[in-house]
């Protein structure tokens, strides 16, 4: 059908731009797998986000078509959960804690220095898509305040200049 | 039977009934904002809170099933206080700039300016006087608030040509989402984001103009506030200030009941009539928005006569006298069989009857035909929504009979299986479990009862013997069934080449062949009027009274709502005048008399169906012209059946673009 091919074509183009060969196959398998299962949308979106990195409207429409759902309802789910993102995210996620303990120990200054270094605001992603800077509320590691988490590694007692140094191993 | 106590009175209930349903059935008023009949209750707005004895807190009556022995109170002080707070919160949540919003006089102007900056309109809210929130605020006396207005994070969406979305007035009740997804099943809108950023979104959160919206407009009808509005009549037709006329839609064979709102002699808005049959308030794009052609400058307004090879304006007397003299000439020279007529099945029964009477009894000709295959649906449309298996054969249902399609889509949403048999890709096919190549394949798929819905004229011989299969069909034109009921059926041997005199109301021709004289009665100039010797301006649908027979075998009224343009006349009047000029004076001089004095006595299936009984939802007639419906439709060479739906839509200046963009080949 005409509409279907339009959606598929736009999706194919996006994957090409993202240099994600083979991603379409993976996502198609996923869609076939989940097609008949009730409540399939959220797991499919999770996997798809893992594969592509983010869920722009083009991807949402492709998923909607594959699961026989409306594009508006898929958008509703994606926009509801903070876990899903519609903009590209960096290879590495930096989370700066702004919980009470970290904040009084200088979390804000740490965040500012990282913003300056990366040239992005909170929630932003660097142009080279290496880093996404996020601000979070309390990671439950108040004893280590102020805390910065990069991917899965937690760094305690950070200061503004140390925070910038922490990034060095990730530039590759 | 179990019962509940509401405000101290005992009421019985059926298992599964909600408190709200029991209360409403017994005329106990519980206010609601988000509750939409026919959709699953969401309990979103909390207006319908009631107190239930021994319950933990107030309960939303729309979503709480009645239980045996429940003691329910609907207007205790606690409940009234809760409702007042909800109303107060809703009022401050948006630009509710009606007089209700209580602020001191200095703030009032500031506030109106803030609103004006948002909606770019110097008028008060579009829903003023119709708004459910405003009505509740009055009812509960909520005027003052100590709370501050929360600014709306989203700007007005007025990119779409027909429907405007004002997020500043949206109370997020979700009725539009239900109307779109559960009632019409067009699936164009959903809830998006959350918390104070929550918003009703379309795909990709774009503007409505770029969405999957098919412009049925159901969302506007159900919006309780001023968040969704029709753009063309935004402020100039406050609905409580203009008169409205109930009538039957003239597009397809479903025969939807609708209200026409009339201002200064023009239609300014169309709404579905809630709870009416057969459409239960639903309308489609055409029914709701395609009415501008009625007031188009391109309408034919005076009779035209061919003089020296060009058509010139003439009086009715001149035109009719000329037709009569040519009819007499043709009859004398070539006999009655040389005179033929192709009627339009968009005409009223009264029109068709007079046309037939004129040809049969005045001219002694039986060459009166149309080329519309006929069908009938023998069950209420709502039964489609309850079916377990439906087969749609050869019909582009969402396009031809969009309101009927909503019931089929609802069934699929409720778990029914849908099979499609069609050689072209249709939208309804995207709802199907499976597409089949032909009817014969159906046998293996069926278990249990199923409903086959086919396009009129589609060959269903292969399905006729299948067990447990009920076969139905819905007409493309509004009064096709009326024509069959009046014994005007397609004539397989109707051949233009053998005619000398042709009268067209429902067809167009490519060349004149051997015709000596051609009369074309139409709304607009077209290929056929260009070839005609006489062109007669016809009145349309909303311009005179009459009746249709809809596809569910329902006789329904059409009512005059506006005056015809110029000198345009109803078909029945034209034939009455022609007959008079040929020495036959017919007594009946209005649609009601034609129906009651002439049609009813002659056609037993209409017996007892007088105009008085046709109030409201019309009358279902029991006798059916089934044998006639099997007539073979063979279109005579040189004649074309126009796509009326498309032509009428194309003459609506205001929706032309949308038709071209969204429904290119349909109208």
């Amino acid at each position: 059908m005409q509409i279907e091919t339009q959606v598929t074509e736009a999706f194919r183009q996006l994957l090409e731009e993202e240099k994600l060969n083979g991603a379409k196959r993976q996502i198609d398998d996923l869609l076939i797998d989940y097609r008949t299962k009730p409540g399939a949308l959220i797991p499919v979106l999770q996997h798809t986000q893992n594969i592509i990195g983010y869920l722009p409207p083009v991807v949402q429409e492709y998923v909607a078509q594959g699961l026989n759902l409306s594009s508006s309802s898929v958008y509703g789910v994606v926009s509801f959960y903070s876990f899903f993102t519609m903009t590209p995210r960096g290879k590495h996620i930096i989370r700066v804690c702004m919980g009470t303990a970290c904040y009084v120990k200088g979390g804000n200054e740490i965040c500012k220095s990282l913003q300056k270094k990366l040239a992005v605001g909170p929630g932003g992603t660097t142009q080279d898509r290496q880093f996404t800077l996020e601000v979070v509320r309390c990671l439950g590691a108040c004893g280590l305040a102020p805390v910065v988490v990069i991917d899965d590694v937690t760094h305690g007692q950070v200061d503004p200049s140390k925070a910038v140094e922490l990034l060095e191993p990730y530039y590759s | 039977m179990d019962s509940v106590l509401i405000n101290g009175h005992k009421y019985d209930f059926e298992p599964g009934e909600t408190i709200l349903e029991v209360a409403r059935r017994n005329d106990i008023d519980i206010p609601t904002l988000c509750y939409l009949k026919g959709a699953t209750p969401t309990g979103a707005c909390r207006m319908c809170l009631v107190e239930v004895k021994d319950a933990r807190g107030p309960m939303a009556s729309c979503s709480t099933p009645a239980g045996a022995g429940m003691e329910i109170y609907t207007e205790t002080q606690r409940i009234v206080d809760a409702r007042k707070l909800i109303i107060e919160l809703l009022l401050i949540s948006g630009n509710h700039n009606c007089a209700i919003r209580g602020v001191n006089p200095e703030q009032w102007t500031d506030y109106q300016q803030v609103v004006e900056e948002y909606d770019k309109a110097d008028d008060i809210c579009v829903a003023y006087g119709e708004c459910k929130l405003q009505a509740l605020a009055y009812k509960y006396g909520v005027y003052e608030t100590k709370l501050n207005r929360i600014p709306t994070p989203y700007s007005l969406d007025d990119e779409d040509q027909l429907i405007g979305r004002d997020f500043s007035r949206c109370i997020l009740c979700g009725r539009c989402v239900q109307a779109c997804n559960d009632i019409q099943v067009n699936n164009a809108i959903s809830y998006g984001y959350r918390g104070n950023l929550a918003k009703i979104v379309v795909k990709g959160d774009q503007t409505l103009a770029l969405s999957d919206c098919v412009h049925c407009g159901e969302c506007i009808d159900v919006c309780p506030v001023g968040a969704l509005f029709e753009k063309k009549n935004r402020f100039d037709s406050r609905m409580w200030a203009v008169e409205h006329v109930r009538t039957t839609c003239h597009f397809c064979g479903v025969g939807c009941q609708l209200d026409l709102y009339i201002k200064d002699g023009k239609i300014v808005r169309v709404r579905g009539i809630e709870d009416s049959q057969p459409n239960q308030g639903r309308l489609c794009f055409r029914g709701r928005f395609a009415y501008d052609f009625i007031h188009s400058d391109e309408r034919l307004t005076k009779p035209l006569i061919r003089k020296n090879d060009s058509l010139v304006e003439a009086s009715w007397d001149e035109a009719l006298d000329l037709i009569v003299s040519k009819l007499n000439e043709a009859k004398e020279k070539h006999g009655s069989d040389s005179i033929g007529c192709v009627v339009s099945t968009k005409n009223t029964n009264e029109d068709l009857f007079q046309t037939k009477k004129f040809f049969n009894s005045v001219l002694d000709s039986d060459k009166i035909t149309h080329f519309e295959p006929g069908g009938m649906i023998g069950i209420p449309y709502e039964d489609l929504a309850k079916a377990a298996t439906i087969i749609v054969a050869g019909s582009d249902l969402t396009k031809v009979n969009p309101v009927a399609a909503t019931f089929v889509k609802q069934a699929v949403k409720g778990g029914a299986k849908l099979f499609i048999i069609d050689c072209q890709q249709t939208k309804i096919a995207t709802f199907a479990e499976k597409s089949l190549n032909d009817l014969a394949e159906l046998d293996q798929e069926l278990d249990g009862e199923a409903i086959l819905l086919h396009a009129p004229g589609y060959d269903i011989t292969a399905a006729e013997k299948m067990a447990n299969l009920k076969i139905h069909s819905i007409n493309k034109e509004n009064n096709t069934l009326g024509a069959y009921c009046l014994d005007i059926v397609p004539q397989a041997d109707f051949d233009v080449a053998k005619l000398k005199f042709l009268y067209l109301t429902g067809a167009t021709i490519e060349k004149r062949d051997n015709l000596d004289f051609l009369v074309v009665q139409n709304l607009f100039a077209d290929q056929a009027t260009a070839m005609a010797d006489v062109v007669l301006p016809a009145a349309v649908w909303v311009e005179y009274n009459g009746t249709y027979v809809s596809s569910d075998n329902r006789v329904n009224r059409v009512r005059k709502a506006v005056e015809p343009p110029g000198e345009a006349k109803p078909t029945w009047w034209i034939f009455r005048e022609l007959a008079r000029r040929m020495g036959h004076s017919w007594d009946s001089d209005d649609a009601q008399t034609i129906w009651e004095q002439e049609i009813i006595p002659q056609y037993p299936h209409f017996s007892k169906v007088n105009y008085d009984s046709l109030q409201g939802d019309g009358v279902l007639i029991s006798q059916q012209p089934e044998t006639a419906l099997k007539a073979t439709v063979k279109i005579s060479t040189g004649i074309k059946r126009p796509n009326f739906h498309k032509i009428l839509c194309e003459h609506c200046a205001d929706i032309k673009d949308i038709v071209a963009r969204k429904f290119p080949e349909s109208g």
Side-chain angles (χ1 to χ4, degrees):
Chain A
M1 208 175 159
Q2 210 191 346
I3 306 159
E4 282 193 357
T5 49
Q6 267 176 23
V7 171
T8 312
E9 191 45 44
F11 180 66
R12 214 191 291 272
Q13 258 176 32
L14 177 96
L15 294 183
E16 223 166 84
E17 279 161 26
E18 297 285 339
K19 299 190 181 65
L20 289 164
N21 303 325
K24 183 163 181 301
R25 178 91 187 275
Q26 272 176 283
I27 293 164
D28 285 346
D29 287 347
L30 206 63
L31 292 172
I32 292 163
D33 242 25
Y34 276 97
R35 200 185 169 103
T36 52
K37 291 180 189 157
L41 180 59
I42 290 177
V44 167
L45 288 173
Q46 279 176 321
H47 288 303
T48 309
Q49 180 162 302
N50 286 342
I51 296 165
I52 304 178
Y54 66 119
L55 299 168
V58 178
V59 176
Q60 293 174 27
E61 274 192 63
Y62 190 73
V63 169
Q65 186 185 295
L67 295 177
N68 207 4
L69 296 167
S70 74
S71 301
S72 61
S73 69
V74 174
Y75 189 92
V77 169
V78 171
S79 64
F80 184 88
Y81 291 102
S82 58
F83 177 81
F84 295 126
T85 171
M86 286 185 248
T87 48
R89 306 239 291 172
K91 205 164 140 194
H92 305 289
I93 314 290
I94 306 164
R95 296 185 175 89
V96 182
C97 184
M98 293 275 223
T100 312
C102 292
Y103 187 84
V104 297
K105 292 270 243 167
N108 202 20
E109 279 69 43
I110 294 167
C111 189
K112 274 186 193 153
S113 101
L114 285 171
Q115 284 184 43
K116 203 173 150 202
K117 170 75 183 166
L118 300 170
V120 293
T125 298
T126 55
Q127 211 132 48
D128 61 2
R129 292 224 208 145
Q130 278 295 311
F131 297 104
T132 294
L133 181 63
E134 281 182 356
V135 168
V136 294
R137 308 283 161 196
C138 196
L139 290 156
C142 308
L144 299 174
V147 168
V148 171
V149 178
I150 304 177
D151 294 339
D152 297 330
V153 187
T154 308
H155 304 271
Q157 280 148 8
V158 184
D159 64 40
S161 61
K162 204 172 150 194
V164 174
E165 283 166 32
L166 285 175
L167 301 182
E168 263 159 39
Y170 297 94
Y171 280 108
S172 55
Chain B
M1 192 179 276
D2 290 330
S3 62
V4 290
L5 273 178
I6 303 182
N7 302 335
H9 299 275
K10 199 171 144 188
Y11 301 103
D12 291 343
F13 67 91
E14 302 284 341
E17 257 189 312
T18 63
I19 297 174
L20 181 70
E21 284 165 340
V22 180
R24 291 222 165 142
R25 194 159 45 72
N26 292 293
D27 296 328
I28 299 164
D29 180 42
I30 299 177
T32 56
L33 282 171
C34 72
Y35 174 75
L36 182 65
K37 203 175 162 188
T40 317
T42 57
C45 75
R46 318 310 287 173
M47 265 326 285
C48 69
L49 290 179
V50 292
E51 258 189 283
V52 178
K53 199 183 169 200
D54 296 332
R56 267 184 312 167
M59 313 281 279
S61 62
C62 71
S63 56
T64 309
M70 262 186 180
E71 249 181 73
I72 299 154
Y73 298 93
T74 64
E75 294 278 341
T76 61
Q77 192 56 47
R78 194 170 162 220
I79 291 299
V80 169
D81 288 345
R83 285 185 192 149
K84 280 175 132 171
L85 180 63
I86 295 160
I87 295 166
E88 197 177 325
L89 289 169
L90 288 174
L91 283 178
I92 59 140
S93 76
N95 290 342
H96 301 292
N97 65 333
C98 47
I100 274 296
R101 177 79 159 62
V103 281
N104 64 45
E106 299 100 78
Q107 282 177 342
W108 176 251
T109 315
D110 292 348
Y111 176 56
Q112 295 296 348
Q113 275 167 352
V114 171
V115 175
E116 187 175 337
E117 199 168 311
Y118 180 91
D119 67 9
K120 305 282 179 287
D122 55 7
D123 215 325
I124 219 145
C125 175
V126 70
Y128 187 93
E130 287 184 276
C131 175
K132 302 273 191 321
L133 178 60
Q134 187 188 26
L136 286 173
Y138 269 119
K139 180 178 171 185
Y140 286 98
V142 183
Y143 305 105
E144 291 300 329
T145 172
K146 290 170 219 70
L147 304 161
N148 288 323
R149 163 86 175 84
I150 306 157
T152 305
Y154 304 107
S155 52
L156 190 94
D157 173 13
D158 68 347
E159 295 283 304
D160 189 76
Q161 227 176 326
L162 296 172
I163 303 173
R165 298 195 295 162
D166 181 340
F167 299 104
S168 78
R169 291 184 168 116
C170 176
I171 57 169
L172 294 166
C173 67
R175 279 167 66 99
C176 55
V177 176
Q178 291 194 312
C180 187
N181 292 272
D182 299 345
I183 307 288
Q184 287 268 350
V185 203
N186 288 325
N187 303 329
I189 53 176
S190 286
Y191 285 106
Y193 308 98
R194 63 182 155 147
N196 57 357
L197 292 177
K199 178 193 187 187
I200 306 300
V201 294
V202 300
K203 78 170 179 195
D205 193 14
Q206 311 170 83
T207 60
L208 195 69
L210 298 169
S211 72
D212 293 332
C213 174
V214 296
H215 296 89
C216 70
E218 187 93 11
C219 55
I220 306 175
D221 268 3
V222 300
C223 182
V225 290
L228 291 163
F229 56 89
E230 269 185 50
K231 278 178 69 181
K232 63 183 273 189
N233 53 31
R234 189 168 169 196
F235 295 115
D236 71 346
S237 53
R238 298 284 182 188
M239 288 311 141
W240 33 266
V242 298
E243 65 169 314
H244 56 105
V245 176
R246 177 177 177 155
T247 195
T248 306
C249 181
H250 71 120
F251 273 104
C252 82
V254 174
C256 291
Q257 292 302 295
L258 42 80
D259 252 335
L260 302 169
Y261 286 79
I262 319 292
K263 192 188 181 193
D264 302 332
K266 285 191 172 185
I267 296 165
V268 288
R269 184 170 173 184
V270 179
R271 289 188 84 157
I273 292 175
E274 217 178 317
D275 288 334
S276 67
Q277 295 296 352
N279 54 313
Q280 301 181 350
R282 302 166 195 205
L283 294 180
C284 71
F285 167 68
R286 287 191 297 257
R288 188 183 305 274
F289 292 115
Y291 53 83
D292 242 34
F293 73 91
I294 295 162
H295 310 301
S296 163
D297 293 340
E298 292 161 15
R299 283 281 299 273
L300 298 169
T301 54
K302 273 185 92 76
L304 305 172
I305 289 181
R306 186 165 299 281
K307 274 186 186 155
N308 306 326
D309 241 24
S310 60
L311 288 167
V312 293
E313 284 186 3
S315 67
W316 273 102
D317 280 336
E318 274 178 273
L320 295 172
D321 287 344
L322 178 62
I323 294 171
V324 166
S325 75
K326 293 293 174 180
L327 278 171
N328 285 329
E329 195 182 312
K331 202 173 164 186
E332 258 167 51
K333 272 206 224 160
H334 308 285
S336 294
D337 282 351
S338 70
I339 305 168
C341 176
V342 183
V343 302
S344 163
T345 62
K346 296 205 90 59
N347 268 336
T348 63
N349 293 318
E350 292 77 1
D351 289 335
L352 293 170
F353 177 79
Q354 295 283 79
T355 314
K356 185 176 158 69
K357 187 173 160 191
F358 180 77
F359 273 80
N360 288 174
S361 68
V362 177
L363 295 178
D364 199 23
S365 160
D366 61 358
K367 295 262 175 270
I368 167 167
T369 190
H370 63 83
F371 303 113
E372 205 62 47
M376 204 167 58
I377 176 159
I379 49 169
Y381 289 95
E382 55 198 330
D383 282 10
L384 284 176
K386 294 178 213 145
T389 308
I390 301 176
I391 305 101
V392 173
S395 173
D396 195 346
L397 206 59
T398 56
K399 206 186 278 173
V400 182
N401 311 110
V403 171
T406 65
F407 292 95
V408 174
K409 292 185 285 183
Q410 263 190 316
V412 174
K413 204 172 165 151
K417 277 189 193 169
L418 175 67
F419 298 101
I420 298 287
I421 307 168
D422 209 321
C423 51
Q424 49 175 347
Q425 268 288 359
T426 58
K427 184 141 182 219
I428 192 80
T430 61
F431 289 82
E433 167 144 326
K434 208 169 172 185
S435 280
L436 306 175
N437 293 316
D438 57 55
L439 280 171
E441 283 180 30
L442 202 55
D443 237 353
Q444 299 132 36
E445 304 289 347
L446 293 183
D447 65 78
E449 294 215 337
I451 292 173
L452 171 67
L453 210 56
H454 66 90
Y458 187 88
D459 183 6
I460 44 143
T461 332
E464 271 171 341
K465 283 187 207 85
M466 290 182 194
N468 297 327
L469 188 65
K470 294 203 178 91
I471 300 174
H472 300 284
S473 175
I474 305 166
N475 293 313
K476 182 176 179 198
E477 302 300 349
N478 50 315
N479 200 28
T480 305
L481 201 54
Y484 281 93
C485 285
L486 294 167
D487 299 322
I488 303 175
V489 298
Q491 296 179 351
D493 59 348
F494 192 91
D495 187 355
V496 179
K498 288 184 187 152
L499 297 176
K500 292 291 174 193
F501 187 110
L502 181 61
Y503 193 116
L504 291 179
T505 70
T508 178
I509 56 169
E510 273 148 1
K511 50 183 183 355
R512 286 187 52 151
D513 278 328
N514 304 325
L515 289 175
D516 286 342
F517 206 77
L518 174 66
V519 180
V520 178
Q521 184 191 309
N522 211 341
L523 305 182
F524 301 103
D526 67 1
Q527 196 182 6
T529 58
M531 276 184 275
D533 297 293
V534 173
V535 176
L536 300 176
V540 66
W541 176 49
V542 290
E543 292 161 358
Y544 59 105
N545 289 319
T547 53
Y548 295 154
V549 186
S550 310
S551 297
D552 55 347
N553 227 16
R554 185 188 299 272
V555 182
N556 232 326
R557 277 292 314 274
V558 269
R559 296 178 180 85
K560 179 171 176 170
V562 299
E563 290 297 328
E567 296 172 19
K569 294 286 183 193
T571 306
W572 66 258
W573 180 90
I574 298 171
F575 282 101
R576 186 176 179 276
E577 285 302 305
L578 286 172
R580 190 167 63 81
R581 282 171 167 77
M582 296 183 81
H584 295 250
S585 107
W586 293 347
D587 291 340
S588 317
D589 195 21
D590 62 64
Q592 182 169 359
T593 322
I594 297 170
W595 177 261
E596 288 174 359
Q597 305 298 322
E598 303 201 48
I599 299 180
I600 292 181
Q602 252 189 67
Y603 294 90
H605 33 257
F606 296 135
S607 63
K608 293 181 196 148
V609 189
N610 57 24
Y611 268 34
D612 273 348
S613 66
L614 288 176
Q615 304 298 327
D617 292 342
V619 172
L620 285 170
I621 49 174
S622 48
Q623 262 181 333
Q624 297 152 1
E626 276 188 83
T627 40
L629 287 175
K630 301 225 163 103
T632 338
V633 180
K634 184 175 161 272
I635 299 189
S636 168
T637 14
I639 282 200
K640 258 192 3 209
R641 202 172 76 198
N643 185 345
F644 288 113
H645 295 189
K646 189 176 180 207
I647 293 168
L648 298 181
C649 285
E650 280 171 355
H651 279 93
C652 295
D654 57 338
I655 57 165
K656 250 203 270 195
D657 293 353
I658 288 191
V659 173
R661 198 157 41 83
K662 292 235 168 185
F663 320 97
E665 73 302 354
S666 77

